[in-house]
Amino acid sequence: MQHYTSYCPRQCALIHQEQSFDDNEYTLRGQRAHRRVDSGEISTEDGRWVLCALPLYSDRLGLVGKAGMVEFLPDGTPYPVEYKQGKRHKHDHDDIQLVE
């Protein structure tokens, strides 16, 4: 969804329908960083629970999904975390991916 809405519908089709995508050093670094996020690991860090690959659903909306990583603050407030390599983009690409 991020590729379609934030970049280019054609790029989205090439990547997701045609499977036409070549990794580069940046995508390989990102894949390494996401290994933990996809692991299902549960840990505590600085008094916060950290859950990876947290299943999410809404019966009311009929939606099912997965949050890559969610930190629960000491008061129980959930805080979604987006892992990225490099600097934050000037555009909304990262914010769109966080909620897709």
Side-chain angles (χ1 to χ4, degrees), residues 48-88:
R48 299 180 313 267
W49 280 96
V50 179
L51 283 71
C52 297
L54 178 66
L56 302 170
Y57 67 93
S58 170
D59 288 333
R60 183 175 63 85
L61 299 173
L63 298 173
V64 177
K66 177 177 71 171
M69 178 177 281
V70 178
E71 294 181 355
F72 287 85
L73 303 180
D75 68 358
T77 302
Y79 187 82
V81 177
E82 179 65 27
Y83 268 82
K84 290 290 180 188
Q85 293 290 312
K87 296 180 180 178
R88 183 168 171 74

mmCIF file of all heavy atoms in Angstrom, residues 48-88:
data_model
loop_
_atom_site.group_PDB
_atom_site.id
_atom_site.type_symbol
_atom_site.label_atom_id
_atom_site.label_comp_id
_atom_site.label_asym_id
_atom_site.label_seq_id
_atom_site.Cartn_x
_atom_site.Cartn_y
_atom_site.Cartn_z
ATOM 1 N N ARG A 48 9.649 -1.345 29.853
ATOM 2 C CA ARG A 48 8.577 -1.457 28.859
ATOM 3 C C ARG A 48 8.524 -2.881 28.328
ATOM 4 O O ARG A 48 9.543 -3.487 28.051
ATOM 5 C CB ARG A 48 8.829 -0.509 27.689
ATOM 6 C CG ARG A 48 8.881 0.945 28.062
ATOM 7 C CD ARG A 48 9.127 1.817 26.836
ATOM 8 N NE ARG A 48 10.198 1.347 25.975
ATOM 9 C CZ ARG A 48 11.473 1.743 26.044
ATOM 10 N NH1 ARG A 48 11.836 2.614 26.947
ATOM 11 N NH2 ARG A 48 12.368 1.276 25.206
ATOM 12 N N TRP A 49 7.307 -3.411 28.172
ATOM 13 C CA TRP A 49 7.144 -4.672 27.458
ATOM 14 C C TRP A 49 7.281 -4.388 25.976
ATOM 15 O O TRP A 49 6.723 -3.405 25.464
ATOM 16 C CB TRP A 49 5.761 -5.268 27.713
ATOM 17 C CG TRP A 49 5.668 -5.984 29.021
ATOM 18 C CD1 TRP A 49 5.198 -5.478 30.192
ATOM 19 C CD2 TRP A 49 6.081 -7.316 29.290
ATOM 20 N NE1 TRP A 49 5.280 -6.416 31.176
ATOM 21 C CE2 TRP A 49 5.825 -7.577 30.649
ATOM 22 C CE3 TRP A 49 6.645 -8.325 28.522
ATOM 23 C CZ2 TRP A 49 6.102 -8.783 31.252
ATOM 24 C CZ3 TRP A 49 6.918 -9.539 29.116
ATOM 25 C CH2 TRP A 49 6.661 -9.761 30.462
ATOM 26 N N VAL A 50 8.002 -5.244 25.268
ATOM 27 C CA VAL A 50 8.175 -5.095 23.818
ATOM 28 C C VAL A 50 7.695 -6.386 23.167
ATOM 29 O O VAL A 50 8.224 -7.465 23.455
ATOM 30 C CB VAL A 50 9.653 -4.827 23.456
ATOM 31 C CG1 VAL A 50 9.813 -4.697 21.952
ATOM 32 C CG2 VAL A 50 10.161 -3.582 24.170
ATOM 33 N N LEU A 51 6.667 -6.273 22.331
ATOM 34 C CA LEU A 51 6.117 -7.435 21.639
ATOM 35 C C LEU A 51 6.355 -7.277 20.150
ATOM 36 O O LEU A 51 6.036 -6.236 19.565
ATOM 37 C CB LEU A 51 4.622 -7.568 21.895
ATOM 38 C CG LEU A 51 4.222 -8.136 23.260
ATOM 39 C CD1 LEU A 51 4.488 -7.168 24.374
ATOM 40 C CD2 LEU A 51 2.774 -8.530 23.239
ATOM 41 N N CYS A 52 6.912 -8.317 19.537
ATOM 42 C CA CYS A 52 7.168 -8.319 18.095
ATOM 43 C C CYS A 52 6.131 -9.201 17.402
ATOM 44 O O CYS A 52 5.697 -10.206 17.952
ATOM 45 C CB CYS A 52 8.563 -8.853 17.805
ATOM 46 S SG CYS A 52 9.876 -7.836 18.512
ATOM 47 N N ALA A 53 5.761 -8.827 16.188
ATOM 48 C CA ALA A 53 4.786 -9.569 15.386
ATOM 49 C C ALA A 53 3.485 -9.754 16.162
ATOM 50 O O ALA A 53 2.930 -10.842 16.236
ATOM 51 C CB ALA A 53 5.372 -10.913 14.933
ATOM 52 N N LEU A 54 2.966 -8.682 16.719
ATOM 53 C CA LEU A 54 1.763 -8.719 17.546
ATOM 54 C C LEU A 54 0.517 -8.802 16.667
ATOM 55 O O LEU A 54 0.235 -7.895 15.889
ATOM 56 C CB LEU A 54 1.689 -7.461 18.422
ATOM 57 C CG LEU A 54 0.472 -7.318 19.316
ATOM 58 C CD1 LEU A 54 0.461 -8.404 20.381
ATOM 59 C CD2 LEU A 54 0.449 -5.941 19.959
ATOM 60 N N PRO A 55 -0.240 -9.904 16.779
ATOM 61 C CA PRO A 55 -1.475 -10.014 15.988
ATOM 62 C C PRO A 55 -2.502 -8.962 16.429
ATOM 63 O O PRO A 55 -2.650 -8.684 17.614
ATOM 64 C CB PRO A 55 -1.994 -11.420 16.303
ATOM 65 C CG PRO A 55 -0.845 -12.137 16.925
ATOM 66 C CD PRO A 55 0.010 -11.095 17.580
ATOM 67 N N LEU A 56 -3.200 -8.395 15.461
ATOM 68 C CA LEU A 56 -4.234 -7.396 15.715
ATOM 69 C C LEU A 56 -5.495 -7.787 14.956
ATOM 70 O O LEU A 56 -5.414 -8.369 13.879
ATOM 71 C CB LEU A 56 -3.786 -6.016 15.229
ATOM 72 C CG LEU A 56 -2.511 -5.445 15.809
ATOM 73 C CD1 LEU A 56 -2.100 -4.200 15.047
ATOM 74 C CD2 LEU A 56 -2.689 -5.146 17.279
ATOM 75 N N TYR A 57 -6.656 -7.469 15.524
ATOM 76 C CA TYR A 57 -7.897 -7.719 14.812
ATOM 77 C C TYR A 57 -8.991 -6.793 15.332
ATOM 78 O O TYR A 57 -8.899 -6.253 16.433
ATOM 79 C CB TYR A 57 -8.337 -9.181 14.952
ATOM 80 C CG TYR A 57 -8.732 -9.548 16.367
ATOM 81 C CD1 TYR A 57 -10.058 -9.467 16.776
ATOM 82 C CD2 TYR A 57 -7.778 -9.957 17.287
ATOM 83 C CE1 TYR A 57 -10.421 -9.785 18.077
ATOM 84 C CE2 TYR A 57 -8.129 -10.280 18.585
ATOM 85 C CZ TYR A 57 -9.465 -10.191 18.968
ATOM 86 O OH TYR A 57 -9.803 -10.494 20.257
ATOM 87 N N SER A 58 -10.002 -6.613 14.511
ATOM 88 C CA SER A 58 -11.191 -5.872 14.903
ATOM 89 C C SER A 58 -12.395 -6.631 14.377
ATOM 90 O O SER A 58 -12.604 -6.714 13.154
ATOM 91 C CB SER A 58 -11.180 -4.454 14.314
ATOM 92 O OG SER A 58 -12.451 -3.845 14.515
ATOM 93 N N ASP A 59 -13.176 -7.219 15.294
ATOM 94 C CA ASP A 59 -14.410 -7.888 14.878
ATOM 95 C C ASP A 59 -15.380 -6.884 14.267
ATOM 96 O O ASP A 59 -16.035 -7.166 13.271
ATOM 97 C CB ASP A 59 -15.078 -8.574 16.076
ATOM 98 C CG ASP A 59 -14.322 -9.816 16.535
ATOM 99 O OD1 ASP A 59 -13.632 -10.436 15.698
ATOM 100 O OD2 ASP A 59 -14.426 -10.164 17.731
ATOM 101 N N ARG A 60 -15.445 -5.687 14.861
ATOM 102 C CA ARG A 60 -16.374 -4.663 14.397
ATOM 103 C C ARG A 60 -16.081 -4.255 12.952
ATOM 104 O O ARG A 60 -16.980 -4.106 12.136
ATOM 105 C CB ARG A 60 -16.298 -3.446 15.316
ATOM 106 C CG ARG A 60 -17.282 -2.342 14.963
ATOM 107 C CD ARG A 60 -17.258 -1.200 15.963
ATOM 108 N NE ARG A 60 -15.986 -0.504 16.012
ATOM 109 C CZ ARG A 60 -15.639 0.478 15.193
ATOM 110 N NH1 ARG A 60 -16.456 0.867 14.242
ATOM 111 N NH2 ARG A 60 -14.468 1.064 15.308
ATOM 112 N N LEU A 61 -14.797 -4.095 12.623
ATOM 113 C CA LEU A 61 -14.417 -3.667 11.279
ATOM 114 C C LEU A 61 -14.105 -4.822 10.340
ATOM 115 O O LEU A 61 -13.927 -4.626 9.141
ATOM 116 C CB LEU A 61 -13.203 -2.734 11.359
ATOM 117 C CG LEU A 61 -13.407 -1.444 12.137
ATOM 118 C CD1 LEU A 61 -12.090 -0.695 12.276
ATOM 119 C CD2 LEU A 61 -14.462 -0.568 11.481
ATOM 120 N N GLY A 62 -14.002 -6.025 10.893
ATOM 121 C CA GLY A 62 -13.668 -7.180 10.066
ATOM 122 C C GLY A 62 -12.244 -7.140 9.546
ATOM 123 O O GLY A 62 -11.975 -7.574 8.433
ATOM 124 N N LEU A 63 -11.328 -6.616 10.354
ATOM 125 C CA LEU A 63 -9.935 -6.479 9.937
ATOM 126 C C LEU A 63 -9.035 -7.400 10.742
ATOM 127 O O LEU A 63 -9.263 -7.638 11.932
ATOM 128 C CB LEU A 63 -9.459 -5.036 10.135
ATOM 129 C CG LEU A 63 -10.185 -3.964 9.336
ATOM 130 C CD1 LEU A 63 -9.715 -2.583 9.763
ATOM 131 C CD2 LEU A 63 -9.959 -4.173 7.847
ATOM 132 N N VAL A 64 -8.005 -7.898 10.096
ATOM 133 C CA VAL A 64 -6.978 -8.714 10.738
ATOM 134 C C VAL A 64 -5.634 -8.207 10.242
ATOM 135 O O VAL A 64 -5.477 -7.890 9.067
ATOM 136 C CB VAL A 64 -7.135 -10.208 10.364
ATOM 137 C CG1 VAL A 64 -6.022 -11.035 10.970
ATOM 138 C CG2 VAL A 64 -8.491 -10.731 10.799
ATOM 139 N N GLY A 65 -4.658 -8.130 11.143
ATOM 140 C CA GLY A 65 -3.338 -7.669 10.737
ATOM 141 C C GLY A 65 -2.289 -8.023 11.759
ATOM 142 O O GLY A 65 -2.513 -8.848 12.653
ATOM 143 N N LYS A 66 -1.142 -7.416 11.608
ATOM 144 C CA LYS A 66 -0.022 -7.678 12.510
ATOM 145 C C LYS A 66 0.785 -6.401 12.661
ATOM 146 O O LYS A 66 1.128 -5.759 11.674
ATOM 147 C CB LYS A 66 0.853 -8.791 11.933
ATOM 148 C CG LYS A 66 2.080 -9.104 12.751
ATOM 149 C CD LYS A 66 2.871 -10.258 12.168
ATOM 150 C CE LYS A 66 3.557 -9.871 10.893
ATOM 151 N NZ LYS A 66 4.501 -10.863 10.392
ATOM 152 N N ALA A 67 1.076 -6.037 13.910
ATOM 153 C CA ALA A 67 1.966 -4.912 14.175
ATOM 154 C C ALA A 67 3.372 -5.474 14.302
ATOM 155 O O ALA A 67 3.601 -6.426 15.055
ATOM 156 C CB ALA A 67 1.566 -4.200 15.465
ATOM 157 N N GLY A 68 4.309 -4.910 13.571
ATOM 158 C CA GLY A 68 5.685 -5.399 13.623
ATOM 159 C C GLY A 68 6.251 -5.356 15.025
ATOM 160 O O GLY A 68 6.804 -6.332 15.521
ATOM 161 N N MET A 69 6.120 -4.221 15.697
ATOM 162 C CA MET A 69 6.620 -4.100 17.060
ATOM 163 C C MET A 69 5.770 -3.078 17.805
ATOM 164 O O MET A 69 5.458 -2.020 17.272
ATOM 165 C CB MET A 69 8.081 -3.657 17.085
ATOM 166 C CG MET A 69 8.623 -3.468 18.500
ATOM 167 S SD MET A 69 10.370 -3.040 18.519
ATOM 168 C CE MET A 69 11.085 -4.651 18.258
ATOM 169 N N VAL A 70 5.392 -3.446 19.033
ATOM 170 C CA VAL A 70 4.645 -2.537 19.895
ATOM 171 C C VAL A 70 5.314 -2.537 21.259
ATOM 172 O O VAL A 70 5.580 -3.598 21.825
ATOM 173 C CB VAL A 70 3.168 -2.964 20.042
ATOM 174 C CG1 VAL A 70 2.423 -2.028 20.994
ATOM 175 C CG2 VAL A 70 2.491 -2.997 18.684
ATOM 176 N N GLU A 71 5.613 -1.344 21.749
ATOM 177 C CA GLU A 71 6.109 -1.195 23.113
ATOM 178 C C GLU A 71 4.931 -0.803 23.987
ATOM 179 O O GLU A 71 4.103 0.013 23.592
ATOM 180 C CB GLU A 71 7.176 -0.100 23.201
ATOM 181 C CG GLU A 71 8.440 -0.418 22.461
ATOM 182 C CD GLU A 71 9.483 0.691 22.603
ATOM 183 O OE1 GLU A 71 9.180 1.747 23.210
ATOM 184 O OE2 GLU A 71 10.590 0.503 22.095
ATOM 185 N N PHE A 72 4.850 -1.403 25.180
ATOM 186 C CA PHE A 72 3.831 -1.023 26.139
ATOM 187 C C PHE A 72 4.522 -0.257 27.256
ATOM 188 O O PHE A 72 5.385 -0.799 27.947
ATOM 189 C CB PHE A 72 3.105 -2.256 26.681
ATOM 190 C CG PHE A 72 2.180 -2.866 25.659
ATOM 191 C CD1 PHE A 72 2.654 -3.770 24.726
ATOM 192 C CD2 PHE A 72 0.846 -2.497 25.620
ATOM 193 C CE1 PHE A 72 1.812 -4.319 23.778
ATOM 194 C CE2 PHE A 72 -0.003 -3.039 24.669
ATOM 195 C CZ PHE A 72 0.474 -3.952 23.745
ATOM 196 N N LEU A 73 4.173 1.008 27.389
ATOM 197 C CA LEU A 73 4.767 1.860 28.407
ATOM 198 C C LEU A 73 4.369 1.358 29.790
ATOM 199 O O LEU A 73 3.422 0.578 29.922
ATOM 200 C CB LEU A 73 4.321 3.303 28.193
ATOM 201 C CG LEU A 73 4.642 3.885 26.800
ATOM 202 C CD1 LEU A 73 4.147 5.323 26.703
ATOM 203 C CD2 LEU A 73 6.118 3.800 26.490
ATOM 204 N N PRO A 74 5.075 1.772 30.841
ATOM 205 C CA PRO A 74 4.771 1.277 32.191
ATOM 206 C C PRO A 74 3.302 1.432 32.604
ATOM 207 O O PRO A 74 2.783 0.619 33.354
ATOM 208 C CB PRO A 74 5.694 2.100 33.086
ATOM 209 C CG PRO A 74 6.878 2.385 32.219
ATOM 210 C CD PRO A 74 6.277 2.620 30.852
ATOM 211 N N ASP A 75 2.614 2.442 32.065
ATOM 212 C CA ASP A 75 1.199 2.624 32.417
ATOM 213 C C ASP A 75 0.267 1.779 31.541
ATOM 214 O O ASP A 75 -0.948 1.853 31.655
ATOM 215 C CB ASP A 75 0.804 4.096 32.339
ATOM 216 C CG ASP A 75 0.798 4.659 30.920
ATOM 217 O OD1 ASP A 75 1.139 3.924 29.966
ATOM 218 O OD2 ASP A 75 0.455 5.841 30.761
ATOM 219 N N GLY A 76 0.846 0.956 30.627
ATOM 220 C CA GLY A 76 0.047 0.081 29.765
ATOM 221 C C GLY A 76 -0.285 0.662 28.413
ATOM 222 O O GLY A 76 -0.892 -0.005 27.579
ATOM 223 N N THR A 77 0.111 1.896 28.155
ATOM 224 C CA THR A 77 -0.171 2.537 26.872
ATOM 225 C C THR A 77 0.641 1.870 25.760
ATOM 226 O O THR A 77 1.866 1.772 25.858
ATOM 227 C CB THR A 77 0.193 4.037 26.922
ATOM 228 O OG1 THR A 77 -0.545 4.658 27.971
ATOM 229 C CG2 THR A 77 -0.106 4.721 25.601
ATOM 230 N N PRO A 78 -0.025 1.390 24.696
ATOM 231 C CA PRO A 78 0.716 0.800 23.574
ATOM 232 C C PRO A 78 1.329 1.895 22.703
ATOM 233 O O PRO A 78 0.732 2.952 22.501
ATOM 234 C CB PRO A 78 -0.352 0.026 22.806
ATOM 235 C CG PRO A 78 -1.624 0.708 23.141
ATOM 236 C CD PRO A 78 -1.472 1.306 24.510
ATOM 237 N N TYR A 79 2.523 1.632 22.203
ATOM 238 C CA TYR A 79 3.246 2.588 21.369
ATOM 239 C C TYR A 79 3.837 1.826 20.189
ATOM 240 O O TYR A 79 4.795 1.064 20.343
ATOM 241 C CB TYR A 79 4.346 3.246 22.199
ATOM 242 C CG TYR A 79 5.059 4.370 21.512
ATOM 243 C CD1 TYR A 79 4.520 5.653 21.481
ATOM 244 C CD2 TYR A 79 6.280 4.162 20.899
ATOM 245 C CE1 TYR A 79 5.180 6.686 20.844
ATOM 246 C CE2 TYR A 79 6.950 5.193 20.256
ATOM 247 C CZ TYR A 79 6.389 6.454 20.236
ATOM 248 O OH TYR A 79 7.048 7.471 19.605
ATOM 249 N N PRO A 80 3.256 1.965 18.968
ATOM 250 C CA PRO A 80 3.800 1.251 17.807
ATOM 251 C C PRO A 80 5.176 1.784 17.434
ATOM 252 O O PRO A 80 5.429 2.981 17.523
ATOM 253 C CB PRO A 80 2.779 1.510 16.702
ATOM 254 C CG PRO A 80 2.061 2.738 17.128
ATOM 255 C CD PRO A 80 2.118 2.801 18.626
ATOM 256 N N VAL A 81 6.052 0.886 17.023
ATOM 257 C CA VAL A 81 7.424 1.249 16.664
ATOM 258 C C VAL A 81 7.668 0.850 15.214
ATOM 259 O O VAL A 81 7.337 -0.260 14.809
ATOM 260 C CB VAL A 81 8.438 0.518 17.581
ATOM 261 C CG1 VAL A 81 9.867 0.831 17.162
ATOM 262 C CG2 VAL A 81 8.196 0.875 19.032
ATOM 263 N N GLU A 82 8.248 1.741 14.451
ATOM 264 C CA GLU A 82 8.623 1.450 13.065
ATOM 265 C C GLU A 82 10.135 1.454 12.962
ATOM 266 O O GLU A 82 10.773 2.456 13.263
ATOM 267 C CB GLU A 82 8.024 2.501 12.123
ATOM 268 C CG GLU A 82 8.382 2.310 10.663
ATOM 269 C CD GLU A 82 7.827 1.031 10.054
ATOM 270 O OE1 GLU A 82 6.795 0.532 10.522
ATOM 271 O OE2 GLU A 82 8.459 0.527 9.108
ATOM 272 N N TYR A 83 10.712 0.329 12.579
ATOM 273 C CA TYR A 83 12.150 0.225 12.400
ATOM 274 C C TYR A 83 12.521 0.714 11.017
ATOM 275 O O TYR A 83 11.954 0.283 10.024
ATOM 276 C CB TYR A 83 12.594 -1.236 12.511
ATOM 277 C CG TYR A 83 12.981 -1.627 13.901
ATOM 278 C CD1 TYR A 83 12.029 -1.982 14.837
ATOM 279 C CD2 TYR A 83 14.310 -1.637 14.280
ATOM 280 C CE1 TYR A 83 12.382 -2.348 16.116
ATOM 281 C CE2 TYR A 83 14.680 -1.996 15.557
ATOM 282 C CZ TYR A 83 13.714 -2.355 16.465
ATOM 283 O OH TYR A 83 14.071 -2.710 17.730
ATOM 284 N N LYS A 84 13.462 1.619 10.945
ATOM 285 C CA LYS A 84 13.966 2.118 9.674
ATOM 286 C C LYS A 84 15.480 2.256 9.753
ATOM 287 O O LYS A 84 16.028 2.564 10.799
ATOM 288 C CB LYS A 84 13.379 3.502 9.346
ATOM 289 C CG LYS A 84 11.914 3.490 9.011
ATOM 290 C CD LYS A 84 11.725 2.831 7.677
ATOM 291 C CE LYS A 84 10.273 2.798 7.282
ATOM 292 N NZ LYS A 84 10.046 2.004 6.106
ATOM 293 N N GLN A 85 16.115 2.067 8.641
ATOM 294 C CA GLN A 85 17.543 2.309 8.517
ATOM 295 C C GLN A 85 17.721 3.688 7.901
ATOM 296 O O GLN A 85 16.961 4.077 7.019
ATOM 297 C CB GLN A 85 18.185 1.257 7.608
ATOM 298 C CG GLN A 85 18.171 -0.131 8.181
ATOM 299 C CD GLN A 85 19.105 -0.260 9.358
ATOM 300 O OE1 GLN A 85 20.246 0.151 9.292
ATOM 301 N NE2 GLN A 85 18.619 -0.826 10.437
ATOM 302 N N GLY A 86 18.699 4.431 8.361
ATOM 303 C CA GLY A 86 18.990 5.729 7.767
ATOM 304 C C GLY A 86 18.142 6.847 8.339
ATOM 305 O O GLY A 86 17.449 6.691 9.338
ATOM 306 N N LYS A 87 18.185 7.978 7.668
ATOM 307 C CA LYS A 87 17.498 9.183 8.135
ATOM 308 C C LYS A 87 16.016 9.145 7.780
ATOM 309 O O LYS A 87 15.597 8.490 6.840
ATOM 310 C CB LYS A 87 18.135 10.423 7.508
ATOM 311 C CG LYS A 87 19.564 10.636 7.919
ATOM 312 C CD LYS A 87 20.126 11.871 7.256
ATOM 313 C CE LYS A 87 21.572 12.082 7.680
ATOM 314 N NZ LYS A 87 22.160 13.249 7.024
ATOM 315 N N ARG A 88 15.243 9.923 8.535
ATOM 316 C CA ARG A 88 13.807 10.050 8.272
ATOM 317 C C ARG A 88 13.614 10.823 6.970
ATOM 318 O O ARG A 88 14.294 11.806 6.708
ATOM 319 C CB ARG A 88 13.158 10.790 9.430
ATOM 320 C CG ARG A 88 11.665 10.917 9.297
ATOM 321 C CD ARG A 88 11.063 11.398 10.609
ATOM 322 N NE ARG A 88 9.685 11.738 10.473
ATOM 323 C CZ ARG A 88 8.696 10.855 10.352
ATOM 324 N NH1 ARG A 88 8.978 9.564 10.370
ATOM 325 N NH2 ARG A 88 7.455 11.239 10.236
#
